């Protein structure tokens, strides 16, 4: 699915593409999951500078892949070019890499798209990932629990502070779904995280609705340039 070479099982990467895929393993930040180059970078509390300076509202975020060239080859067509079949590659790697988060979760919730963007794209890629993970882990999924209350502009060229300001207050849990999250440990599913602004804003909405805790599981994580 990455290069077009034949494989023996649908959804697998060929040997060459697998070698090029940069999986995130320990050491990484205990809160946001950003990869470290050495255990010493995290200090005694195993936190990155961003998580120390501005701790997120979610408990833990973990990602399967470092967002590099190979992750982009899988994620960009999946997100923008209707390659929904890439769920078969991404979801299993997410499940294997972060099995503990799946085991501890009560319910899986994808980060929602605004209805305008959903109309243009025709699918929510994070919902596809959530359903793939839910089937493998035999966990319930609530694809429409949180909603985007307003459209936000692209975060790609914004700083961490600008990203946080752009998405602040842009999520809310639907009244009809509040009873399904109250007291539950929610695993929020997203495709890529950079600063964590959107995941944090969504976690705030879920916690305000009564969720016991929120963790985040991602396909890929953008490394912090301060740690490379």
């Amino acid at each position: 699915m990455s290069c077009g070479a034949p494989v023996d099982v649908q959804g697998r990467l060929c040997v060459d593409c697998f070698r090029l895929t940069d999986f995130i393993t320990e050491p990484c930040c205990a809160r946001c999951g950003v990869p470290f180059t050495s255990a010493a970078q995290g200090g005694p509390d195993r936190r990155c500078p961003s998580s120390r300076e501005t701790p997120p509202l979610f408990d833990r975020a973990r990602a399967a892949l470092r967002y590099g060239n190979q992750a982009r080859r899988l994620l960009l067509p999946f997100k923008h070019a209707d390659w929904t079949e890439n769920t078969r590659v991404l979801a299993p790697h997410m499940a294997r890499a972060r099995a503990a988060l799946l085991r501890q979760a009560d319910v899986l919730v994808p980060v929602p798209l605004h209805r305008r963007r959903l109309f243009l794209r025709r699918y929510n890629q994070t919902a596809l990932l959530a359903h793939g993970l839910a089937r493998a882990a035999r966990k319930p999924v609530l694809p429409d629990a949180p909603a985007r209350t307003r459209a936000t502009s692209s975060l790609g060229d914004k700083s961490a502070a600008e990203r946080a300001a752009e998405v602040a207050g842009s999520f809310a849990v639907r009244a009809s779904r509040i009873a399904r999250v109250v007291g539950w440990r929610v695993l929020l599913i997203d495709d890529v995280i950079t600063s964590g602004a959107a995941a944090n804003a969504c976690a705030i909405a879920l916690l305000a609705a009564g969720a016991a805790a929120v963790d985040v599981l991602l396909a890929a994580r953008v490394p912090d340039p301060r740690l490379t």
Side-chain angles (χ1 to χ4, degrees), residues 157-194:
D157 58 350
K158 290 180 168 56
S159 68
E162 290 170 335
R163 287 167 180 259
E166 179 66 26
V167 299
S170 62
F171 297 93
V173 175
R174 300 176 194 275
S176 61
R177 295 292 182 264
I178 289 177
R180 299 287 303 277
V181 302
V182 170
W184 281 24
R185 187 171 197 99
V186 175
L187 183 57
L188 191 63
I189 308 300
D190 205 354
D191 51 2
V192 182
I193 193 172
T194 303

Side-chain angles (χ1 to χ4, degrees), residues 8-133:
D8 57 346
V9 176
Q10 184 76 310
R12 286 186 181 172
L13 298 173
C14 73
V15 173
D16 291 335
C17 286
F18 188 85
R19 287 197 191 105
L20 293 172
T21 305
D22 196 352
F23 297 97
I24 294 178
T25 57
E26 296 291 345
C28 64
C29 176
R31 287 299 295 274
C32 75
V34 69
F36 295 146
T37 56
S38 72
Q41 284 186 322
D45 61 354
R46 295 175 51 236
R47 294 195 184 190
C48 69
S50 295
S51 291
R52 287 199 194 100
E53 295 160 8
T54 312
L57 271 294
F58 52 78
D59 280 9
R60 299 164 295 174
R62 295 291 186 272
L65 311 176
R66 187 188 301 260
Y67 192 66
N69 289 336
Q70 179 64 5
R72 280 191 284 270
R73 289 175 70 185
L74 292 168
L75 280 161
L76 293 181
F78 172 59
K79 190 172 181 175
H80 300 295
D82 295 346
W83 286 30
T84 56
E85 62 270 24
N86 279 11
T87 306
R88 296 181 182 181
V89 175
L90 296 166
H93 284 307
M94 293 166 70
R96 281 191 292 269
R98 304 305 172 193
L101 292 187
L102 278 170
R103 284 196 304 270
Q104 295 163 12
D106 295 312
V107 63
L108 277 60
V109 171
V111 172
L113 293 176
H114 187 265
R115 61 183 180 275
R116 189 181 307 159
R117 189 165 295 174
L118 181 60
F119 176 79
L120 293 172
R121 191 175 292 172
R122 305 189 306 279
Y123 63 94
N124 180 1
Q125 73 280 357
T126 63
L128 297 179
L129 292 173
H131 281 291
L133 289 162

